[in-house]
Amino acid sequence: MEKVLAYRRFIIIGIFLTVGLIFTFRLFYVQILVDKYILSANNNVLRYITQYPARGLIFDRNGKLLVYNEAAYDLMVIPRQAKNVDTIELCRLLGIEKQEYIRRMTNARNYSSYRQSIFEGQITRENYGFLEEKLFRFPGFFVQSRTLRKYTYPIAAHTFGYIGEAGPDIIETDPYYKPGDYIGVNGIEKSYEEILRGEKGMKIRVVDVLNRDKGSFQDGLYDTLAYAGTDLFSSLDEELQEYGEKLMMNKKGSIVAIEPSTGEILCLITSPSYDPNLLVGNIRKKNYRDLVFDTVYQPLFNRALMAMYPPGSTFKLVDALVGQQEGVLFPTTTYGCPGGFSIGNGKMVRCHAHPSPLNLIGAIQISCNTYFCRVFRSIIDNRIYASTRQAYEKWRKEVMSFGLGKKLGLDVPGELNGNIPTPAYYDKYHGKDRWRSMTIISLGIGQGEIGITPLQLANLAATISNRGWYYVPHIIRAIGKKDSLNPGYREKKVTAVDQSYFDIVIDGMADVVTEGTARASKIDSIDFCGKTGTAQNPHGKNHSIFIAFAPKMNSRIAISVVVENAGYGAEWAAPVASLMIEKYLRRTVKRKEIEERIMNADLIHGINIKYETGKGHFLPD
Amino acid sequence: MKLEKGIFYRIDWVMVILYLALVIMGWLNIYAAVYNDTHQHITDMHQKYGKQMIFILASLVLAIIIIIIDPRFFSQFSYFIYGFFLLMLVMVIFAGREISGSKSWFAIGGFGIQPAEFAKMATALALAKFLGYLERNIKNPRHLIIAVIIIILPALLILAERDTGSALVFICFVLVLYRAGLTGFVLLALLALPLLGVLALIINKFILAAAFLVLAALVYYRIPHRSRHFLVILAVFLASTAFVFSVHYTFNHILEPHQRQRINVLLGNNTDLKGAGYNVNQSLIAIGSGRFWGKGFLQGTQTKYNFVPEQSTDFIFCTVGEEHGFIGSVIVIALFLALIIRIILNAERQRSKFSRLYGYGVASLFFFHFSINIGMALGLIPVIGIPLPFFSYGGSSLWAFTILLFIFIKQDALRYGLV
């Protein structure tokens, strides 16, 4: 009986071996086939501690420091270790309510009770002083150092932009950014983000199950250093920018100045503006909200790039240039002005009282509406073209060669295209090819559907001063090294108008200042050339516009000034431009009475005009 | 002197060497699992590895005593030893110390003694003793019932201590009964039951019952002499159906909540990795992160930094998996299987029925602990807290397994001299 059952040992051994085999297969699966366990293991014990680099600094064209970094601190918490915290004291120091403390703790705990979360971000150095000496009373809390952007001068807020925490959409699309990282949200901070941000470093630490630090991972073999961001040398002139912002105080509008020979932006002013230091650190959220909700003055709206105005009479310069190029206008061309230009049905484009008839220089100097309506008509009705449409398309092409009607490509985000209407637009409005020169005559005096941004106006001034070419305007002249030139902006753009047609127009512009519409703004011994513009708009008083450059030969500054709802170009924009030119060329302003009148003028308070926001506004007449 | 020399000469050194290999590997693993920078010395008495070294030295003393003790001691005193430990089991219920929910420890000085560990060994002895008489036959219902009582009595007492894992161990003696002549059906049923149980929990019971019916019908019409087997097939069908229907009730009303959770974790019904599923998940992470070659001795991060709970006792296999990888794990498994199979093969060469059945008892106990413990660490079976022989930290378990094994080594060495 016993011996008969001896075979059963094989069954039993078989069971043993089967179990051994199952274990081997399972081990093979767990240890060799799948990766998720090794990933989870690293997730368990490795803590990747980011080393944040300092962002690149930003200087002005004379080497003045404009934007720098200051030490700041994130207050971190590990909820599990936060026991016996003097909650009342901590709330008092941070200026938060008990409920807020509980809410943040709950959030942190929901993320992980073993791992660190930011409890209060970006505490400034001053505030950290109060916190530091009491930190020992808050077990589980510690600080992680970060940097905050600081601005030496409270100017050029829109140009610099600001930085903020990278949002989920960015983190998803760009692997560089992790939660808690900062990214340039606007302005130079955004367009030069990859240069300014530097390179993050990484320290890998090993922790135990209670998140206690157990030393560096493999003696720091895989640790990387942080590299500071690259410095930027902007072409802004700090003094000019600051002076312009003072002039524009209590006015809506903008000033853009360009160095014509290089395309470098000397100042980029929009008003109303704000102190860039407001959008830094943990006060940013609140201040940003306040700025956004200020719908009356719209301080976040960058008018220099995002507002679109009919250029008014400044556009007559383009008429003069294109007319000559098209062979329908000569310096000697003379038109009489009977106080306006009749467009049929008893309607007319009015003109002011002035001597008549006028030649080209005179018409620019006096800014005669009738003259340029005729010039515009002669361009559009030119017999050498088969149709109005063809002539118009040619005109449009030549106008756009001045950098109008499309984004110039400035290295500050947010530029608008402006608008030089397409033939299709008029087809839609009047019916296919059912429009004539008389239908669109207001374009000739820079009114109607045409829309140009202040940046484009300044670039127009620079292009005219160069006699027909421009470099794309840019605000960063050098990257990393002070003397290197920004390689993105080395290509000359040439207009469709021949160089030889410019001098007569520039002579006219010189007369505008010496004895024409802007004679009140002339500066002794600086020969500058300008053109006034007064853009009608249905929302209130006319926009006061002026473009200019100086000196007449080899000019060093080209400028556009727009003062919204202020009146005639000669009244506000021209004196502002002349003060800016004087400031830039002489470094000091002698005409104190004009300066005082401008600085003390308040053109917005008490006059509440609401604009559509968003993609800029278009103001037809 | 002469006798002793003879004894050592006849000892199966393969079993001893496998034993020593496993014990030393176990010790180094405990060192690795508990290792920290402040107490680096492996003989540090304040650390678990230092204590384990003492336990090992004591075990070796125990082993030598067993080898040189009177050869008839264990066969003669089997019932006495059994009775003694039954008494201990009863006493521990009243006088024991409660540690993590089960009242199974005697506190003696600084050490705790767990009678349940020794009761397994005592049961193996008593069972072998009872079935060892030539006239005892398992086909005799009276003998079978007594054998089952010998097995179940300590199991029930341990259950009363709320130490379910140790109580379940006694199921392994079915292998001894099987070798003694129990029908293979029982073994088959025992292997099939867990499978049925899992099926019952994941598939609707009525569908399952219908499937059984179809299966039974198929079997019935396929086999020759079908009418002769009709009753058997019917019985199996009814039994499985009844089992399936009872599983839900057992699961929901008889099992304790933590046991229910452990089963849910295994079935994938519970993916709460911070709660009930935490242990098993961390165990798999530790083992899985070892990859092929392992991270190296003392280089395991998951075990060293305490991510795996109970890592020096129930989850000690994680340290092997993490630090020594697939290679090391397979070697440990191979060593265990070698020892267990060696015991079975040696058992078969015994002339005494007592020694043979005792050998089967030893092999069964080792096998059960081995498969449950590693199966649990690999996430193949629910979490049942029983030690891995020679690897898990603890004196009682190490001593009990040493005694268990060396009684057999002793019997084996004497196989020619004793009846």
Side-chain angles (χ1 to χ4, degrees):
Chain A
M1 180 67 193
E2 276 292 310
K3 285 291 163 197
V4 177
L5 294 175
Y7 78 91
R8 289 194 166 179
R9 74 183 127 163
F10 297 116
I11 292 174
I12 290 171
I13 289 173
I15 294 171
F16 293 172
L17 290 176
T18 308
V19 169
L21 216 57
I22 291 172
F23 285 174
T24 307
F25 284 141
R26 176 67 172 171
L27 282 165
F28 187 78
Y29 172 77
V30 168
Q31 297 186 301
I32 294 166
L33 285 189
V34 297
D35 284 334
K36 71 171 177 182
Y37 295 116
I38 184 105
L39 296 178
S40 306
N42 290 341
N43 200 21
N44 267 344
V45 295
L46 300 184
R47 289 290 174 275
Y48 298 87
I49 299 167
T50 309
Q51 306 293 106
Y52 294 101
R55 266 179 104 77
L57 309 175
I58 303 176
F59 297 90
D60 94 331
R61 67 186 294 108
N62 301 313
K64 277 190 189 171
L65 182 61
L66 298 179
V67 185
Y68 62 103
N69 304 300
E70 193 181 82
Y73 302 87
D74 285 349
L75 181 65
M76 314 294 291
V77 65
I78 297 174
R80 203 189 132 86
Q81 295 171 5
K83 296 204 173 90
N84 305 320
V85 176
D86 186 346
T87 334
I88 296 166
E89 180 68 6
L90 185 60
C91 289
R92 195 185 64 76
L93 285 172
L94 296 178
I96 57 171
E97 297 289 318
K98 182 91 193 275
Q99 280 88 342
E100 177 65 10
Y101 175 90
I102 294 166
R103 193 186 65 78
R104 291 186 190 179
M105 269 316 242
T106 312
N107 280 351
R109 206 172 280 121
N110 287 346
Y111 166 64
S112 167
S113 58
Y114 290 93
R115 297 191 183 189
Q116 60 189 51
S117 310
I118 296 182
F119 190 81
E120 168 97 2
Q122 305 181 331
I123 301 167
T124 57
R125 205 171 47 188
E126 306 90 76
N127 288 339
Y128 174 60
F130 299 112
L131 192 59
E132 188 186 24
E133 53 198 39
K134 291 183 175 151
L135 204 57
F136 72 96
R137 283 161 69 178
F138 316 122
F141 287 86
F142 62 97
V143 291
Q144 172 179 294
S145 61
R146 297 294 290 268
T147 57
L148 278 185
R149 265 326 209 191
K150 276 285 178 184
Y151 304 89
T152 327
Y153 309 94
I155 55 166
H158 296 85
T159 306
F160 298 139
Y162 54 93
I163 54 176
E165 236 170 82
D169 44 328
I170 293 161
I171 291 164
E172 236 165 70
T173 50
D174 189 336
Y176 180 86
Y177 297 98
K178 300 279 177 285
D181 283 3
Y182 294 135
I183 185 171
V185 181
N186 214 333
I188 297 173
E189 298 281 15
K190 182 180 183 183
S191 49
Y192 287 91
E193 163 69 12
E194 287 181 19
I195 289 164
L196 287 170
R197 73 184 178 193
E199 205 178 308
K200 279 188 291 184
M202 187 71 83
K203 267 188 188 163
I204 309 175
R205 307 291 294 180
V206 178
V207 296
D208 74 358
V209 69
L210 298 178
N211 208 38
R212 288 179 299 217
D213 193 287
K214 291 288 176 181
S216 66
F217 177 62
Q218 302 206 349
D219 293 328
L221 187 63
Y222 299 102
D223 293 2
T224 51
L225 286 171
Y227 291 100
T230 307
D231 296 343
L232 295 180
F233 296 90
S234 84
S235 56
L236 284 183
D237 183 315
E238 185 277 318
E239 279 180 39
L240 188 66
Q241 175 84 23
E242 195 173 348
Y243 184 67
E245 290 195 14
K246 266 189 203 148
L247 292 178
M248 289 301 286
M249 219 132 48
N250 295 325
K251 298 157 200 78
K252 280 185 182 173
S254 59
I255 307 174
V256 181
I258 297 176
E259 183 177 71
S261 58
T262 57
E264 291 171 6
I265 301 273
L266 300 173
C267 73
L268 191 63
I269 294 160
T270 175
S271 179
S273 186
Y274 59 93
D275 181 348
N277 289 303
L278 288 177
L279 294 189
V280 162
N282 52 15
I283 55 170
R284 196 185 87 231
K285 264 190 192 131
K286 185 199 164 291
N287 286 336
Y288 187 77
R289 207 179 309 129
D290 290 351
L291 292 171
V292 165
F293 286 130
D294 183 354
T295 50
V296 176
Y297 301 118
Q298 299 166 295
L300 289 175
F301 182 50
N302 189 352
R303 291 178 159 77
L305 311 181
M306 301 168 79
M308 203 160 81
Y309 306 93
S313 300
T314 58
F315 195 72
K316 290 170 183 167
L317 301 172
V318 180
D319 288 331
L321 291 163
V322 173
Q324 291 182 83
Q325 178 70 24
E326 287 298 298
V328 295
L329 176 67
F330 305 92
T332 51
T333 306
T334 305
Y335 293 115
C337 176
F341 178 76
S342 169
I343 52 171
N345 298 335
K347 291 183 183 169
M348 71 189 306
V349 177
R350 292 188 175 283
C351 196
H352 51 98
H354 60 78
S356 172
L358 293 166
N359 63 6
L360 180 53
I361 290 188
I364 292 172
Q365 180 198 326
I366 295 300
S367 195
C368 173
N369 282 347
T370 310
Y371 191 96
F372 286 100
C373 284
R374 287 185 178 274
V375 172
F376 183 72
R377 249 199 106 175
S378 63
I379 295 168
I380 302 301
D381 294 341
N382 193 345
R383 296 271 171 99
I384 68 168
Y385 298 109
S387 65
T388 305
R389 185 187 197 85
Q390 229 178 55
Y392 180 79
E393 273 171 353
K394 185 74 191 301
W395 171 85
R396 184 166 183 268
K397 208 180 124 207
E398 286 173 8
V399 167
M400 288 181 72
S401 77
F402 285 84
L404 306 177
K406 58 178 188 286
K407 289 186 180 80
L408 281 166
L410 181 76
D411 48 356
V412 177
E415 242 189 290
L416 278 196
N417 279 327
N419 185 32
I420 307 295
T422 58
Y425 173 84
Y426 291 115
D427 283 347
K428 210 176 126 196
Y429 204 80
H430 302 288
K432 176 128 180 92
D433 287 332
R434 293 192 48 127
W435 44 280
R436 299 282 171 263
S437 59
M438 291 304 262
T439 332
I440 56 173
I441 195 71
S442 54
L443 290 181
I445 53 165
Q447 299 285 347
E449 297 81 2
I450 190 167
I452 295 180
T453 66
L455 175 72
Q456 288 169 334
L457 277 177
N459 189 57
L460 175 64
T463 309
I464 295 172
S465 80
N466 286 338
R467 277 81 173 162
W469 57 267
Y470 65 94
Y471 281 119
V472 170
H474 52 284
I475 205 145
I476 297 304
R477 62 202 301 254
I479 298 169
K481 277 176 293 187
K482 197 174 188 310
D483 301 323
S484 68
L485 285 174
N486 193 338
Y489 296 92
R490 305 306 311 145
E491 194 197 337
K492 229 180 219 184
K493 310 270 182 184
V494 183
T495 61
V497 174
D498 194 88
Q499 195 187 333
S500 59
Y501 299 128
F502 280 84
D503 283 321
I504 185 82
V505 174
I506 290 170
D507 287 343
M509 289 174 76
D511 286 354
V512 167
V513 179
T514 50
E515 53 207 75
T517 48
R519 58 190 175 276
S521 299
K522 72 177 156 213
I523 316 165
D524 291 337
S525 77
I526 295 178
D527 53 336
F528 86 92
C529 311
K531 179 74 194 78
T532 52
T534 305
Q536 298 169 14
N537 85 87
H539 298 282
K541 281 177 87 174
N542 294 332
H543 298 320
S544 169
I545 299 177
F546 192 71
I547 68 173
F549 56 86
K552 188 174 170 188
M553 300 306 290
N554 301 318
S555 55
R556 291 171 52 208
I557 178 170
I559 193 167
S560 77
V561 178
V562 177
V563 186
E564 289 183 15
N565 308 113
Y568 292 108
E571 210 175 340
W572 296 101
V576 168
S578 78
L579 289 170
M580 291 294 284
I581 287 171
E582 186 180 2
K583 176 77 182 170
Y584 183 67
L585 294 182
R586 289 227 182 103
R587 308 310 293 178
T588 150
V589 175
K590 286 184 189 151
R591 297 170 298 150
K592 290 293 173 195
E593 70 292 349
I594 298 181
E595 183 181 67
E596 218 164 280
R597 177 176 84 88
I598 299 292
M599 280 191 183
N600 292 337
D602 183 344
L603 301 180
I604 48 177
H605 293 94
I607 313 161
N608 286 347
I609 300 154
K610 211 162 173 244
Y611 294 98
E612 304 84 48
T613 49
K615 300 198 74 173
H617 44 270
F618 173 63
L619 309 164
D621 59 354
Chain B
M1 267 323 276
K2 207 175 178 188
L3 179 70
E4 280 164 30
K5 199 167 187 181
I7 279 255
F8 283 112
Y9 179 71
R10 286 175 180 177
I11 279 176
D12 179 19
W13 286 102
V14 174
M15 286 197 288
V16 176
I17 287 167
L18 286 170
Y19 164 78
L20 288 174
L22 288 169
V23 164
I24 289 169
M25 287 169 82
W27 181 39
L28 293 176
N29 262 297
I30 290 170
Y31 179 58
V34 189
Y35 176 84
N36 61 51
D37 294 326
T38 42
H39 306 280
Q40 293 194 344
H41 212 277
I42 195 167
T43 56
D44 188 331
M45 287 309 138
H46 300 291
Q47 301 295 318
K48 281 185 174 174
Y49 34 87
K51 288 180 184 162
Q52 184 76 0
M53 187 184 70
I54 299 295
F55 298 153
I56 291 171
L57 292 176
S59 309
L60 296 180
V61 172
L62 279 175
I64 292 167
I65 291 172
I66 290 166
I67 297 295
I68 61 177
I69 214 167
D70 186 278
R72 278 164 305 236
F73 178 83
F74 291 105
S75 53
Q76 294 301 317
F77 287 93
S78 289
Y79 289 147
F80 176 77
I81 296 168
Y82 180 71
F84 174 77
F85 281 108
L86 279 189
L87 194 67
M88 290 286 121
L89 287 178
V90 174
M91 277 173 64
V92 85
I93 295 174
F94 299 105
R97 198 162 45 145
E98 188 165 322
I99 293 176
S100 56
S102 51
K103 209 170 179 183
S104 50
W105 296 77
F106 279 125
I108 301 168
F111 292 117
I113 294 285
Q114 223 180 344
E117 295 298 329
F118 297 94
K120 299 167 193 170
M121 177 267 300
T123 307
L125 275 176
L127 189 62
K129 172 83 175 175
F130 176 73
L131 294 171
Y133 293 105
L134 280 176
E135 70 273 15
R136 299 275 157 81
N137 186 345
I138 214 111
K139 294 264 194 301
N140 180 334
R142 206 175 65 89
H143 295 163
L144 178 62
I145 286 167
I146 291 173
V148 169
I149 286 172
I150 289 174
I151 297 168
I152 280 190
L153 214 52
L156 289 178
L157 288 171
I158 292 171
L159 213 52
E161 297 166 10
R162 307 176 66 81
D163 182 0
T164 322
S166 296
L168 282 175
V169 168
F170 288 80
I171 291 173
C172 77
F173 288 112
V174 168
L175 284 176
V176 179
L177 298 181
Y178 173 67
R179 177 59 186 86
L182 188 70
T183 166
F185 264 122
V186 179
L187 198 59
L188 199 63
L190 215 55
L191 293 176
L193 280 183
L195 193 69
L196 276 186
V198 169
L199 283 179
L201 286 176
I202 56 181
I203 301 174
N204 181 297
K205 50 192 170 185
F206 293 103
I207 295 175
L208 211 54
F212 289 157
L213 189 63
V214 173
L215 203 65
L218 273 177
V219 171
Y220 180 69
Y221 285 108
R222 281 288 178 171
I223 57 170
H225 315 296
R226 59 180 70 137
S227 49
R228 211 193 295 168
H229 298 290
F230 178 74
L231 280 179
V232 177
I233 293 170
L234 186 67
V236 169
F237 164 70
L238 288 177
S240 356
T241 308
F243 176 74
V244 163
F245 275 79
S246 66
V247 161
H248 272 281
Y249 183 82
T250 313
F251 185 74
N252 290 320
H253 297 100
I254 296 180
L255 288 188
E256 306 211 5
H258 72 275
Q259 293 168 329
R260 235 187 337 263
Q261 273 187 341
R262 287 170 180 183
I263 291 171
N264 271 330
V265 167
L266 198 73
L267 296 178
N269 294 338
N270 184 335
T271 46
D272 174 18
L273 295 181
K274 284 182 178 164
Y278 178 80
N279 293 13
V280 174
N281 187 49
Q282 291 298 334
S283 165
L284 284 172
I285 288 172
I287 294 172
S289 66
R291 309 316 294 258
F292 190 78
W293 293 108
K295 295 175 185 169
F297 185 53
L298 299 184
Q299 301 302 309
T301 51
Q302 306 303 302
T303 45
K304 196 159 68 177
Y305 297 137
N306 306 322
F307 285 94
V308 186
E310 309 289 338
Q311 51 182 313
S312 62
T313 54
D314 295 348
F315 281 98
I316 188 70
F317 190 73
C318 298
T319 315
V320 181
E322 188 184 12
E323 298 200 340
H324 306 290
F326 180 70
I327 284 287
S329 308
V330 169
I331 287 175
V332 168
I333 287 171
L335 286 176
F336 266 111
L337 286 178
L339 177 65
I340 296 168
I341 290 170
R342 181 81 184 177
I343 293 169
I344 293 287
L345 294 177
N346 284 351
E348 279 302 333
R349 71 183 182 187
Q350 304 302 313
R351 290 201 295 168
S352 115
K353 200 178 164 191
F354 166 78
S355 299
R356 175 162 56 248
L357 291 179
Y358 179 70
Y360 269 88
V362 175
S364 308
L365 279 170
F366 277 130
F367 172 69
F368 194 85
H369 281 86
F370 159 81
S371 48
I372 297 296
N373 183 286
I374 297 181
M376 166 187 83
L378 291 175
L380 292 170
I381 54 169
V383 174
I384 297 170
I386 61 171
L388 183 61
F390 313 131
F391 274 73
S392 293
Y393 168 77
S396 300
S397 140
L398 179 62
W399 292 333
F401 282 119
T402 303
I403 295 168
L404 181 73
L405 179 64
F406 274 84
I407 292 174
F408 178 68
I409 290 176
K410 164 98 169 175
Q411 297 299 121
D412 177 62
L414 295 173
R415 63 190 180 275
Y416 300 110
L418 282 171
V419 176

